[in-house]
Amino acid sequence: MVILVVATTTDPASYGPATALLAMGNWNPGVSFQGIRSKVNGDVRLLEHDKGIVEEDDLDNRWEEATGEVVDEIIFLSKHTAVTNRPALTIHPIGVPHLKEGDVPPQGGKPGWAAIPSPRMTPWLILLKKLAQSHNLVPEFEITLEATHHGPITNKPTMFVEIGSTIECWNRKDAAQVIAQLVWEGLGIGSGEAIGNWNSACGNKKVLLGIGGGHYVPRHMDIILKGGVCFGHLLSGYSLPMEDGGGGTWKHAIKASYDATLEAFHGGEIIAHLDQKSFKGWQKKAIIEYLNEQNIKIGKPSDFY
């Protein structure tokens, strides 16, 4: 089983951390295929291509076909953009489960699809905060989660790790070093032990499925950080299109995200957490009814500890 860390030369916030990661240890040349280069260190494969980071679909399947190695998970290194331009280091799951057939995803993926979320995201978020503080990036940089969004299409547990939000930040060597250190320590490259393996990551086996809120999901993140609770997909309000009368793709978005989260956390108890203040009364009622129909447990903040 191998882990793919994916970077692109077209993005300084991707290429910078990859370069810093290569400088941290002994990497050997690996397989090159379809314009993609690779370096090898233990069970980690650092892949580098020259396309947009969301454009290379099915890298896991393509790697397995090219090498015969089974892919366990994928970590993408990328830039983050935001209208505020605030410096940030972010982590998030991927997918566009709210889009309907015929829609064109603006940033990769396929309509109605939610990737299997990486179980590492909670412990990596905590480690990212620690590393950012030790490199004096806090409080200049915000350390945050983002809601589920964009591609590329993958079939294995996946997360994005990003540097935002301007070209100056994308080129920051200190930010690149923090991301490289996160990957190095998080995957246990060298002699360390990997951080975030599901069997040991969350003692209470409760997993948060976030429903509602803004793109940076602050109410969900408060619970996650307070209790070290693992999380799967985080569906912001814009990923829950609801029409008057209850129509729209919101039901599919919830079901696809729940199923993917359940696949990621074998043996875990998936509990939906609603950002109550982000919904109108009729919306909240419809969501709660649907969750009950699907036998998806709903939890208050105290239910996760």
Side-chain angles (χ1 to χ4, degrees):
M1 304 286 277
V2 299
I3 299 168
L4 305 184
V5 178
V6 184
T8 172
T9 60
T10 66
D11 175 2
S14 180
Y15 186 67
T19 301
L21 185 61
L22 288 174
M24 294 176 67
N26 295 319
W27 295 79
N28 297 311
V31 172
S32 295
F33 72 108
Q34 301 171 1
I36 298 172
R37 287 84 59 194
S38 73
K39 295 291 178 63
V40 174
N41 193 322
D43 62 355
V44 179
R45 308 291 181 261
L46 179 59
L47 275 56
E48 181 182 282
H49 61 74
D50 304 314
K51 296 183 179 180
I53 198 72
V54 300
E55 296 176 25
E56 289 281 8
D57 290 334
D58 298 312
L59 273 174
D60 44 355
N61 291 344
R62 290 157 58 197
W63 180 264
E64 291 178 0
E65 290 173 3
T67 67
E69 295 180 336
V70 176
V71 175
D72 192 40
E73 60 185 295
I74 310 179
I75 297 153
F76 289 91
L77 309 178
S78 177
K79 66 184 177 184
H80 167 68
T81 58
V83 294
T84 62
N85 287 336
R86 178 172 179 181
L89 303 177
T90 79
I91 289 174
H92 70 84
I94 64 171
V96 285
H98 62 293
L99 297 184
K100 61 182 181 297
E101 187 174 353
D103 288 344
V104 178
Q107 294 179 297
K110 58 184 176 183
W113 159 83
I116 303 170
S118 170
R120 297 188 191 277
M121 289 187 291
T122 291
W124 278 38
L125 177 67
I126 294 168
L127 177 59
L128 180 59
K129 290 176 72 73
K130 176 183 174 182
L131 292 172
Q133 290 168 345
S134 69
H135 284 74
N136 298 315
L137 291 183
V138 177
E140 179 187 6
F141 278 74
E142 181 180 14
I143 315 303
T144 186
L145 296 174
E146 294 180 77
T148 299
H149 66 302
H150 69 62
I153 298 167
T154 68
N155 303 282
K156 300 294 174 68
T158 302
M159 70 168 146
F160 262 62
V161 180
E162 302 183 350
I163 301 173
S165 300
T166 64
I167 190 168
E168 291 79 14
C169 296
W170 303 336
N171 282 294
R172 287 271 293 264
K173 290 187 177 181
D174 51 358
Q177 186 61 45
V178 165
I179 299 302
Q181 191 73 33
L182 174 70
V183 175
W184 182 270
E185 293 186 22
L187 294 181
I189 303 173
S191 59
E193 184 175 343
I195 297 171
N197 292 326
W198 163 237
N199 287 336
S200 60
C202 300
N204 63 14
K205 303 301 180 186
K206 295 179 179 179
V207 181
L208 182 147
L209 173 69
I211 298 178
H215 184 71
Y216 298 100
V217 294
R219 292 189 178 92
H220 304 317
M221 195 165 78
D222 285 347
I223 296 173
I224 292 162
L225 289 176
K226 183 177 179 181
V229 175
C230 284
F231 68 95
H233 278 288
L234 303 168
L235 297 177
S236 64
Y238 65 75
S239 293
L240 297 164
M242 300 185 74
E243 301 165 359
D244 290 341
T249 58
W250 62 276
K251 288 183 180 179
H252 177 82
I254 291 174
K255 187 64 165 61
S257 299
Y258 173 82
D259 289 345
T261 299
L262 188 63
E263 187 169 354
F265 295 93
H266 297 290
E269 181 184 12
I270 314 301
I271 305 175
H273 176 254
L274 277 62
D275 186 329
Q276 304 275 356
K277 295 183 179 179
S278 67
F279 298 112
K280 297 177 181 178
W282 68 270
Q283 293 174 320
K284 182 168 67 174
K285 182 175 182 292
I287 290 173
I288 290 173
E289 288 178 353
Y290 177 70
L291 292 172
N292 287 332
E293 289 172 6
Q294 297 296 314
N295 294 315
I296 299 174
K297 182 177 178 179
I298 304 169
K300 304 184 297 294
S302 60
D303 293 326
F304 291 91
Y305 308 132

